[in-house]
């Protein structure tokens, strides 16, 4: 790829995103620098750079999946160290944004933790956020610094197009309908979406009230942003099968798999699960023996986005490249 990376750029990969960072480094033909990290006996940590960042344009590739609080503190402390070392710009490529689901007060006296995280990152010294499929795109507005909330649909559409089959794209809840519609549009399949009418009954618990749309005798792709316990998806799969769906593929940008992957591998109703390598958990499952799991790499996509940020070109051009041709 044609890169115009100057010596003013330093790209760090935190240890929770090691594999993805290395892949990005290969695409950009650029060294990925690890952060120095010490964890003290009581759990406190200290992170710093081994090389100078004075007046540099710095990128940090990381995610704040499980253990979310430790990963978040690592990131905040590292950003603080870079700010105090006189980095000019601190761009955080955060492939999974922990606490994104706490984006509003559902009941009285609740916190809005995703706003709190935005404040913490900004106060630490972040000058730009590059995220992918934030649970709620409105989180962009919780920051007063620029945010690129990238669309994972471009990665998933490339994979699904290669299947040469027609799918109905299903959102597992009302909140994901726009995401499902965008994926269907990229597949030139805009008529074919369905929405599951889901009601949350408690933390990590939900109930399905019905399916809006036609899925009988159709191959379906359930497209969600996060698989955490897997409860939402398994309930959705059951509902779609009851409505006569044929093949059921589960696709989600962020695989947290808090209850492991066996629940999908051993479930006869699920044909396949496709996730990106945005979380530590999905990165750790690459190369596993699970037959139903496919992990798509974000490396090329993120490398193009990092390159666009460095060269001050448009992210829309990256999207256009993905919608027009097959990028490996
Ligand atoms: C909810 O609004 C999200 O989009 C996901 O559907 C949810 O977080 C998945 O969680 P779980 O796998 O625990 O049901």
């Amino acid at each position: 790829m044609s890169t115009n990376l100057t010596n003013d750029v330093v790209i760090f990969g935190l240890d929770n995103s090691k594999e993805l960072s290395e892949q990005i480094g290969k695409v950009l033909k650029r060294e990925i620098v690890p952060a120095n990290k010490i964890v003290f006996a009581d759990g406190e940590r200290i992170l710093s750079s081994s090389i100078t960042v004075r007046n540099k344009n710095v990128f940090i590739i990381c995610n704040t999946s499980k253990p979310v609080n430790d990963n978040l503190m690592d990131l905040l402390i590292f950003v603080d160290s870079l700010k105090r070392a006189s980095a000019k710009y601190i761009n955080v490529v955060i492939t999974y944004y922990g606490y994104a689901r706490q984006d509003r007060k559902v009941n009285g006296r609740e916190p809005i933790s995703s706003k709190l995280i935005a404040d913490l990152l900004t106060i630490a010294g972040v000058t730009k956020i590059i995220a992918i499929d934030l649970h709620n795109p409105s989180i962009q507005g919780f920051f007063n610094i620029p945010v690129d909330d990238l669309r994972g649909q471009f990665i998933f559409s490339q994979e699904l197009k290669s299947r040469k089959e027609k799918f109905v794209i299903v959102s597992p809840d009302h909140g994901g309908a726009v995401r499902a519609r965008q994926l269907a549009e990229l597949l030139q399949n805009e008529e074919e979406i369905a929405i599951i009418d889901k009601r949350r009954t408690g933390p990590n618990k939900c109930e399905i009230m019905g399916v809006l749309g036609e899925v009988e005798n159709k191959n379906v792709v359930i497209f969600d942003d996060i698989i955490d316990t897997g409860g939402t998806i398994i309930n959705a799969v059951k509902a779609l099968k009851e409505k006569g769906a044929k093949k059921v593929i589960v696709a989600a940008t962020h695989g947290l798999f808090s209850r492991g992957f066996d629940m999908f591998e051993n479930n006869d109703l699920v044909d396949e699960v496709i996730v990106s390598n945005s979380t530590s958990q999905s990165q750790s499952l690459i190369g596993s023996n699970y037959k139903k799991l496919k992990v798509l790499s974000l490396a090329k996509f993120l490398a193009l986005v990092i390159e666009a940020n460095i060269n001050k070109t448009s992210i829309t051009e990256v999207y256009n490249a993905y919608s027009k041709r097959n990028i490996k």
Side-chain angles (χ1 to χ4, degrees):
M1 78 189 292
S2 66
T3 50
N4 177 23
L5 304 181
T6 68
N7 287 334
D8 286 342
V9 174
V10 180
I11 305 179
F12 291 98
L14 294 197
D15 53 8
N16 61 17
S17 294
K18 195 167 180 294
E19 292 80 6
L20 175 58
S21 307
E22 281 169 2
Q23 289 171 16
I24 292 173
K26 274 194 194 136
V27 180
L28 292 173
K29 299 190 177 58
R30 184 93 197 181
E31 187 197 0
I32 300 295
V33 184
N36 286 337
K37 175 172 157 181
I38 297 167
V39 180
F40 296 97
D42 65 350
E44 280 186 17
R45 43 247 288 131
I46 178 166
L47 288 93
S48 60
S49 169
S50 57
I51 60 171
T52 182
V53 292
R54 187 170 298 278
N55 278 323
K56 305 273 185 193
N57 185 11
V58 169
F59 290 79
I60 305 170
I61 300 162
C62 61
N63 77 84
T64 54
S65 63
K66 198 173 167 184
V68 55
N69 296 332
D70 284 349
N71 282 327
L72 184 62
M73 280 312 294
D74 280 358
L75 175 59
L76 291 169
I77 291 169
F78 189 48
V79 170
D80 183 75
S81 76
L82 298 173
K83 175 181 70 182
R84 291 175 197 284
S86 301
K88 190 169 181 189
Y89 301 111
I90 304 176
N91 306 276
V92 171
V93 183
I94 184 165
T95 55
Y96 176 75
Y97 185 100
Y99 288 101
R101 286 173 285 181
Q102 293 184 40
D103 57 357
R104 65 196 185 287
K105 288 173 75 164
V106 177
N107 297 301
R109 300 186 297 279
E110 285 185 346
I112 304 181
S113 306
S114 51
K115 164 66 173 147
L116 173 65
I117 305 303
D119 289 344
L120 290 171
L121 287 166
T122 309
I123 285 173
V126 175
T127 55
K128 167 144 197 185
I129 292 283
I130 299 171
I132 181 154
D133 283 347
L134 285 170
H135 172 66
N136 178 351
S138 302
I139 292 171
Q140 292 169 81
F142 293 174
F143 289 89
N144 279 329
I145 54 173
V147 177
D148 285 338
D149 178 21
L150 306 174
R151 290 193 231 140
Q153 289 92 329
F154 288 95
I155 309 292
F156 287 89
S157 67
Q158 294 243 320
E159 174 63 27
L160 293 171
K161 270 184 196 165
S162 73
R163 306 295 175 96
K164 313 263 186 264
E165 284 172 281
K166 205 161 187 257
F167 298 102
V168 176
I169 308 299
V170 182
S171 170
D173 51 33
H174 294 281
V178 172
R179 200 179 291 124
R181 170 66 70 197
Q182 286 168 341
L183 178 57
E185 281 173 4
L186 284 171
L187 295 171
Q188 274 110 41
N189 206 14
E190 55 274 2
E191 306 306 319
E192 304 269 350
I193 76 161
I195 298 166
I196 292 185
D197 186 14
K198 175 182 100 171
R199 195 167 64 124
R200 223 168 241 294
T201 49
N204 288 121
K205 286 197 185 121
C206 67
E207 191 183 324
I208 290 201
M209 317 301 288
V211 178
L212 312 172
E214 190 48 65
V215 295
E216 193 171 0
N217 283 323
K218 307 264 174 96
N219 294 328
V220 300
V221 175
I222 310 172
F223 188 47
D224 206 352
D225 59 330
I226 302 170
I227 299 175
D228 185 355
T229 63
T232 300
I233 287 292
I234 293 295
N235 282 343
V237 172
K238 282 185 198 151
L240 293 166
K241 280 288 185 186
E242 277 164 21
K243 293 280 178 192
K246 287 200 296 188
K247 184 191 272 188
V248 177
I249 295 179
V250 170
T253 312
H254 310 296
L256 296 176
F257 301 120
S258 302
R259 300 214 172 126
F261 192 76
D262 287 346
M263 64 189 293
F264 295 104
E265 184 78 4
N266 301 329
N267 188 321
D268 291 339
L269 303 180
V270 177
D271 288 280
E272 191 179 355
V273 178
I274 310 174
V275 291
S276 82
N277 58 352
S278 66
T279 67
S280 315
Q281 290 69 38
S282 32
Q283 287 178 57
S284 72
L285 285 170
I286 297 169
S288 66
N289 290 327
Y290 289 120
K291 292 191 178 61
K292 289 187 183 173
L293 177 67
K294 175 137 197 162
V295 182
L296 306 178
S297 179
L298 297 171
K300 183 73 188 257
F301 186 53
L302 291 176
L304 289 170
V305 168
I306 290 171
E307 185 186 51
N309 272 279
I310 292 167
N311 294 340
K312 303 180 183 63
T313 54
S314 165
I315 304 294
T316 307
E317 287 169 23
V318 178
Y319 287 161
N320 288 344
Y322 267 82
S323 42
K324 282 187 198 133
R325 58 180 206 269
N326 196 15
I327 297 182
K328 291 282 174 206

